[in-house]
Amino acid sequence: QVQLVESGGGLVQAGGSLRLSCAASGPTFSTYTMAWFRQAPGKEREFVAAITWGRGTTYYTDSVKGRFTVSRDNAKNTVYLQMNSLNAEDTAVYYCAARTVTGGRIWYRYEYDYWGQGTQVTVSS
């Protein structure tokens, strides 16, 4: 079974930066896509960004384009989310997820098979 562990969350000032990491273990060869989702209090869990292990194709939700960058290190089985120009709306628990299917609905949370425990990101003003 694939296991995912997030790290790097914390408290940061508005306008600052933070880098999240997701370390994967187990049979990661069975996964095709790694993604980041986030969930703020009282809101639905929403797609943030994703990357494929193979070609490194990236995807972003509109609200983070130009500010966030998702990347991967295949040798380390680790995915990163570099977050710049953070604002209060970015405050949420950030989850790493992996899916074994391929297809076009990369933003759909129910296509993901494995989830990490989440890491809290709080942006203060």
Side-chain angles (χ1 to χ4, degrees):
Q1 180 174 304
V2 174
Q3 293 183 312
L4 307 174
V5 180
E6 304 98 334
S7 62
L11 177 66
V12 65
Q13 290 277 73
S17 299
L18 207 60
R19 189 179 78 157
L20 306 183
S21 298
C22 175
S25 61
T28 55
F29 57 83
S30 65
T31 67
Y32 293 95
T33 310
M34 301 291 290
W36 291 95
F37 289 78
R38 66 186 181 186
Q39 188 166 22
K43 295 186 177 181
E44 298 288 324
R45 188 170 299 187
E46 66 171 344
F47 172 80
V48 178
I51 188 168
T52 63
W53 284 117
R55 302 190 68 173
T57 306
T58 58
Y59 307 84
Y60 299 94
T61 193
D62 287 345
S63 64
V64 307
K65 287 180 179 177
R67 299 190 298 122
F68 291 10
T69 303
V70 64
S71 61
R72 82 219 194 281
D73 186 332
N74 294 55
K76 296 180 179 179
N77 286 332
T78 301
V79 175
Y80 306 95
L81 185 67
Q82 178 67 47
M83 305 184 293
N84 299 325
S85 302
L86 287 162
N87 56 62
E89 295 179 349
D90 297 313
T91 295
V93 176
Y94 284 70
Y95 297 91
C96 180
R99 71 171 190 170
T100 59
V101 300
T102 59
R105 301 187 72 185
I106 202 162
W107 64 93
Y108 189 46
R109 62 172 291 184
Y110 297 107
E111 288 191 354
Y112 287 80
D113 308 287
Y114 306 101
W115 294 84
Q117 294 296 306
T119 185
Q120 177 70 49
V121 172
T122 302
V123 184
S124 65
S125 58

